[in-house]
Amino acid sequence: MVYYKKTESGKFKRMRTVKNHVGQTISTKKPDGMPMPKNTLSNWTLIDVTKHYKWPEGSLDERTSVARARRYAGSEILEEKEEVNITIKTAREEFDIGQDVTVFVTVKNTSADTENRMKISSVRLMMSSLDYTGQKNKQIRKIDNQGFYINPGEEKQFDMTVTWDQYNDKLQDMGNLQASVVVNVAKSGNSFPENLIFTLRNPAIIDIEVPDNCKVGTNVSVKFTVVNPLQIPLTKCILKIDDEKFEDHQDVDQIDIAPKSKWTTTLEMKPIRPGRGLVIAALDTKELPDITGFSETDISE
């Protein structure tokens, strides 16, 4: 990933190059007909297809491809000397939707000037929501830190926390957030950006209880349980049920599901084809995205 900024002359100056940020692995879901396990990207669900889309990192073919891209870039690119190193880390490996989210930022003076302190004019921290395409949607919080001096090799640390109240109405379909930081160096006038994209885990679940075995044409009772882990109700809920080996079933409307509670319904479903049946349920609600569940059964003639 390469960060650029446009100068007053219309040329582009390279602000920062991160060689291990994106493109390390390209994967796709295995074509086994099974839904992706909730909040899981396990090895048994994914196929690594990296070698089919790019040359091995550091190989002659890969370097040639990069050089060719630079020749066709168009505008002249000016290099910008890197003076600081920036890292962003989340306080925890995973956050659930509904929890407060904290990130830590470290700024290190890596300038070749080992004699003098460096003046940082500002450090801006931002948190934004992203949609499924990776585009910024809404800014959640912004913090501007005042200027300071940093010695050669020294590190300064900052943190930012966004609460559930701050992001609950800005979160998008996939639950993605982006933490961004821009460090401005006073003497050179250079700006150095960094960002971290992470996904909040959806803690809501749909549990489906279906008999292990059933017969074509004979109704079976299937129990659906939705757990709301939030401190607020889930509103305007619609439970959608699907499986090609069962007779079509109407959506189930539920006004809301109370905070920190369960909602349960039992439905009669009729198998219409033999084989492996997969009952899939999805809950549409205003407050949480992508609440799904599935359960298997064997259907005999």
Side-chain angles (χ1 to χ4, degrees), residues 36-54:
M36 185 75 78
K38 185 172 178 61
N39 296 313
T40 300
L41 294 175
S42 60
N43 291 333
W44 65 269
T45 66
L46 300 180
I47 299 175
D48 189 336
V49 294
T50 310
K51 65 180 180 181
H52 299 292
Y53 288 87
K54 58 179 291 189

Side-chain angles (χ1 to χ4, degrees), residues 35-209:
M36 185 75 78
K38 185 172 178 61
N39 296 313
T40 300
L41 294 175
S42 60
N43 291 333
W44 65 269
T45 66
L46 300 180
I47 299 175
D48 189 336
V49 294
T50 310
K51 65 180 180 181
H52 299 292
Y53 288 87
K54 58 179 291 189
W55 299 109
E57 195 75 23
S59 68
L60 177 60
D61 288 321
E62 187 263 346
R63 291 292 87 198
T64 302
S65 177
V66 171
R68 185 182 302 113
R70 285 178 174 171
R71 285 201 304 271
Y72 289 99
S75 301
E76 179 184 351
I77 303 299
L78 303 176
E79 297 286 346
E80 186 165 279
K81 180 175 62 177
E82 187 166 307
E83 299 171 285
V84 296
N85 178 263
I86 307 166
T87 58
I88 308 177
K89 294 182 179 180
T90 54
R92 297 172 52 180
E93 186 172 337
E94 279 190 325
F95 293 100
D96 286 347
I97 295 175
Q99 294 178 329
D100 294 351
V101 176
T102 299
V103 295
F104 298 107
V105 174
T106 301
V107 179
K108 182 177 181 179
N109 180 353
T110 58
S111 172
D113 184 359
T114 59
E115 300 297 326
N116 300 309
R117 294 189 302 166
M118 176 189 296
K119 183 177 180 181
I120 303 297
S121 56
S122 67
V123 175
R124 170 168 289 184
L125 277 63
M126 294 166 285
M127 188 79 77
S128 303
S129 63
L130 301 180
D131 65 16
Y132 76 99
T133 67
Q135 297 298 310
K136 286 185 181 180
N137 190 277
K138 295 180 180 179
Q139 182 174 284
I140 299 169
R141 191 180 181 197
K142 179 177 71 174
I143 300 175
D144 286 312
N145 295 275
Q146 295 182 348
F148 58 91
Y149 285 91
I150 183 169
N151 294 316
E154 184 183 2
E155 295 180 347
K156 295 285 188 181
Q157 293 186 339
F158 307 87
D159 64 82
M160 178 171 59
T161 298
V162 293
T163 65
W164 163 243
D165 290 338
Q166 290 173 317
Y167 72 76
N168 70 340
D169 60 343
K170 298 180 177 67
L171 205 59
Q172 297 305 296
D173 38 29
M174 301 297 289
N176 294 329
L177 295 179
Q178 177 174 278
S180 305
V181 59
V182 178
V183 178
N184 297 299
V185 179
K187 184 176 180 180
S188 65
N190 292 334
S191 299
F192 298 94
E194 182 59 284
N195 66 73
L196 175 67
I197 298 173
F198 56 99
T199 302
L200 301 183
R201 179 179 172 272
N202 190 338
I205 62 170
I206 300 178
D207 182 64
I208 303 173
E209 297 179 31

